[in-house]
Amino acid sequence: MSWAKFAPKTRESAGKKKGATTGKGNPWLGGTLGEIAIGASRTHTFLGARYKRIARRRGKKRALVATGNSALTIVYHLLADPDTDDQDLGPDHYDSRINKQRRAWTLMRQIEQLTGHKVILQASDGTAA
């Protein structure tokens, strides 16, 4: 990642985080990865979903660096082993890994803690879950 100018730096002093660049590296490779990340962010693929997830939490610039890092990792593994199966994980990869029942219980507990009221889930047919 550092050769591609896509390795994020951490600058911190006395607990205060300061802005930092991605460091030194090949500007041509870094620019190409940036273009790949921008292009991938507009698609319905694994990289597009990754960009959207990170941009929602961390911001667009950090999401571009993270998506570029993922793209570079994918390219490295494809070039390192030509027999690698190159299938896209799909835009719903992260959604399929979530346990929906556990997520519902977690959100219920959070609502109960915030409001102080008991929360009861009801199924669409009216039965309590």
Side-chain angles (χ1 to χ4, degrees), residues 3 6-7 11-12 21 25 27 36 38 43 48 51-52 61-64 66 70-71 76 88 100 108-110 117 121:
W3 289 357
F6 255 66
R11 284 186 51 211
E12 187 175 334
T21 63
I36 289 170
I38 289 169
T43 62
Y51 172 82
K52 289 176 186 107
K61 289 184 180 181
R62 290 179 188 226
L64 281 177
S70 296
Y76 169 78
D88 184 34
K100 294 186 188 324
M108 279 178 39
R109 280 194 306 258
Q110 289 177 354
H117 298 295
L121 279 182

Side-chain angles (χ1 to χ4, degrees), residues 120-129:
I120 298 173
L121 279 182
Q122 290 185 348
S124 59
D125 61 359
T127 61

Side-chain angles (χ1 to χ4, degrees), residues 1-9 20-28 30:
M1 298 301 162
S2 61
W3 289 357
K5 194 179 179 179
F6 255 66
K9 286 184 176 179
T21 63
T22 54
K24 298 177 182 178
N26 186 335
W28 298 102

Side-chain angles (χ1 to χ4, degrees), residues 35-46:
E35 293 293 326
I36 289 170
I38 289 169
S41 70
R42 298 178 178 149
T43 62
H44 296 291
T45 60
F46 169 75

Side-chain angles (χ1 to χ4, degrees), residues 52-129:
K52 289 176 186 107
R53 276 184 87 229
I54 296 172
R56 203 170 32 230
R57 294 177 295 151
R58 305 283 313 249
K60 293 179 180 179
K61 289 184 180 181
R62 290 179 188 226
L64 281 177
V65 172
T67 307
N69 283 343
S70 296
L72 185 59
T73 302
I74 291 169
V75 168
Y76 169 78
H77 286 291
L78 289 174
L79 292 175
D81 185 14
D83 298 328
T84 302
D85 185 22
D86 58 338
Q87 63 182 3
D88 184 34
L89 296 175
D92 60 344
H93 174 72
Y94 293 111
D95 296 334
S96 66
R97 297 180 59 106
I98 295 173
N99 183 345
K100 294 186 188 324
Q101 184 69 26
R102 182 174 181 180
R103 178 79 172 132
W105 284 107
T106 302
L107 291 172
M108 279 178 39
R109 280 194 306 258
Q110 289 177 354
I111 291 171
E112 288 174 356
Q113 288 175 351
L114 288 172
T115 62
H117 298 295
K118 183 72 174 163
V119 176
I120 298 173
L121 279 182
Q122 290 185 348
S124 59
D125 61 359
T127 61

